[in-house]
Amino acid sequence: MVTQIFEMVREVGRVPSSEVPLSAAEQTRFERIMDQAVMIDVHQHPFLLPEDMDRFIEFLRTSRYQYGYQAVEAGGWSAVTTASAFSGFKSTTDMSFMEYEDIAAEVGGMLADVATQDNIVRVGNADEILAARQQGKIGFLPTLEHLAIGNRIERVDALFGMGVRLAGITYNRRNFIGDGQTERNPGGLSNFGVEVVHRMNDLGMAVDLSHASTPTAMDAIEVSRAPTVFSHNASYTLRPNGRTRRDEELVACARNGGLVCITAVPNSLSDDPEQDIECVLDHYDYMVNLVGVDHVGIGTDTTVGDHVAFHRVLLGRGPDQLPAPYLNGLESPADGKNIVRGLIRRGHCDEDVLKIVGGNALDYFRRVIG
């Protein structure tokens, strides 16, 4: 058997990505905030992509995955979630239908790799995130893009046992739990879906609504016994498309104690062929005004590699949907500090910046995960 060799992308500096400029006084504030901040990305893919994305499926079938520890460290993160999902493409062309066995194997492999690192540690709650930071380590919190459990609720327990503490309940299409964002006649949670949400509540697994249809999301907010999360979304009012959320959904989530985290996926928030972090910061400003600063967090949805090529190869997006090759200033996890810089430059006070970049996520995890 011939072993396939894949060249992996550079973790830092893959493409030119600008630093948000600050005045001398703002730079002093930035340094002070970074000394105090517990930076948490509630939806990140710290998954290292191959240089040749046209061979991505080949690469996935090797099951020899690498993680962007260097990129995460460069970004200043105290903890990141893993949003495990990519291995699902080994068995399906639509992530909505990924197999439980694939995602369970990916989580297991990731945790095995984390266990070999000196400065990375698995975390499962707020206290463990804080402990890791105090030890000078970075926390990896196992999470899922969505629950690939089919109609077997016991798999929620199995994934929890592996360390998963947050999961989307759907992806873009309909499953046994409820409807995804792209269904043409979307409905709400199924009876099974209500059972799943309650089981997640009982275990201490956060219910992520990021890819749920509006009826499914609103149902989940209503029936969940714990606050829910939109882990990687943005405002439909500012940017009406299939990946953003309407005000009533966001307000309902926050009203029930939930968290709304802002995405940074290239071409999702702008049609500019030279788009940059400013389009992301617009959504932070809007969300703070809409739901209140205590309910806003970071959920970049970044990965380590060519995210636009991922959309082209795996999701079938055409050139007209992908005007920019990347999002300058927030291209990968390595650009995480730019969010802090951008919030400072947008006029947010130190206390509010500390809440947005991680304090609110810590509070949410304490209340939901334990």
Side-chain angles (χ1 to χ4, degrees):
M1 184 177 183
V2 178
T3 301
Q4 295 292 319
I5 304 299
F6 293 87
E7 181 182 358
M8 308 307 289
V9 299
R10 289 175 59 186
E11 292 193 41
V12 179
R14 184 185 73 85
V15 293
S17 194
S18 301
E19 182 178 79
V20 173
L22 299 176
S23 68
E26 289 170 335
Q27 180 65 28
T28 298
R29 286 184 59 203
F30 168 73
E31 292 168 4
R32 181 171 65 243
I33 288 171
M34 288 305 301
D35 283 341
Q36 303 174 54
V38 181
M39 281 187 64
I40 300 172
D41 195 335
V42 182
H43 192 91
Q44 188 180 110
H45 298 281
F47 189 99
L48 204 57
L49 301 181
E51 191 70 51
D52 183 359
M53 284 299 291
D54 288 320
R55 300 181 64 202
F56 189 50
I57 300 299
E58 269 186 85
F59 167 71
L60 291 177
R61 287 172 179 156
T62 69
S63 298
R64 293 192 295 273
Y65 308 146
Q66 301 175 44
Y67 294 88
Y69 305 120
Q70 182 185 353
V72 170
E73 183 175 12
W77 301 105
S78 302
V80 300
T81 60
T82 63
S84 298
F86 289 165
S87 63
F89 283 107
K90 292 189 297 187
S91 306
T92 179
T93 58
D94 190 324
M95 199 186 294
S96 300
F97 306 130
M98 63 185 178
E99 299 288 342
Y100 169 79
E101 290 76 13
D102 288 335
I103 198 62
E106 182 179 328
V107 172
M110 179 272 296
L111 291 175
D113 199 70
V114 164
T116 68
Q117 306 301 311
D118 293 331
N119 68 327
I120 309 291
V121 62
R122 184 182 85 172
V123 293
N125 57 40
D127 287 344
E128 290 176 2
I129 290 172
L130 291 172
R133 188 184 187 282
Q134 290 167 358
Q135 296 164 17
K137 298 185 177 183
I138 298 168
F140 266 46
L141 178 67
T143 65
L144 303 180
E145 186 76 45
H146 77 95
L147 278 173
I149 61 169
N151 62 352
R152 295 177 58 181
I153 197 168
E154 71 274 10
R155 288 174 168 171
V156 179
D157 295 67
L159 290 164
F160 183 84
M162 295 180 70
V164 173
R165 294 296 181 267
L166 180 153
I169 53 174
T170 70
Y171 194 59
N172 289 337
R173 305 279 289 277
R174 177 173 294 146
N175 64 21
F176 285 100
I177 296 170
D179 282 2
Q181 276 186 298
T182 63
E183 285 294 336
R184 67 185 186 90
N185 291 312
L189 282 178
S190 65
N191 289 337
F192 177 71
V194 173
E195 294 174 12
V196 168
V197 167
H198 286 166
R199 188 61 190 147
M200 294 171 75
N201 296 157
D202 292 343
L203 290 169
M205 185 185 292
V207 177
D208 184 2
L209 311 175
S210 295
H211 284 279
S213 70
T214 295
T216 292
M218 295 298 277
D219 273 359
I221 291 168
E222 181 180 354
V223 306
S224 179
R225 299 170 183 144
T228 55
V229 60
F230 286 106
S231 75
H232 56 297
N233 290 107
S235 164
Y236 184 89
T237 300
L238 292 188
R239 177 70 172 173
N241 63 30
R243 282 292 297 112
T244 52
R245 312 301 309 205
R246 298 178 185 273
D247 288 357
E248 58 265 30
E249 302 173 87
L250 302 167
V251 169
C253 176
R255 188 182 294 124
N256 282 19
L259 188 66
V260 177
C261 302
I262 306 301
T263 187
V265 173
N267 302 303
S268 65
L269 304 181
S270 174
D271 294 321
D272 191 331
E274 296 183 359
Q275 61 199 245
D276 61 25
I277 192 174
E278 298 302 324
C279 68
V280 182
L281 296 172
D282 289 343
H283 288 263
Y284 280 101
D285 290 344
Y286 182 85
M287 212 62 68
V288 167
N289 289 326
L290 179 69
V291 303
V293 69
D294 293 332
H295 300 281
V296 180
I298 298 174
T300 65
D301 203 8
T302 50
T303 191
V304 188
D306 192 340
H307 205 153
V308 173
F310 174 87
H311 286 170
R312 173 179 60 81
V313 174
L314 278 300
L315 303 182
R317 305 278 169 80
D320 59 323
Q321 299 169 293
L322 305 170
Y326 63 95
L327 197 152
N328 186 16
L330 200 41
E331 190 272 332
S332 84
D335 289 329
K337 294 176 186 177
N338 249 355
I339 300 174
V340 179
R341 300 177 71 87
L343 291 171
I344 290 170
R345 205 189 62 192
R346 289 291 182 106
H348 298 273
C349 69
D350 290 17
E351 180 183 2
D352 287 354
V353 174
L354 287 167
K355 287 180 178 181
I356 293 167
V357 303
N360 291 337
L362 277 176
D363 177 65
Y364 177 78
F365 291 155
R366 284 192 190 98
R367 289 182 289 116
V368 176
I369 296 175

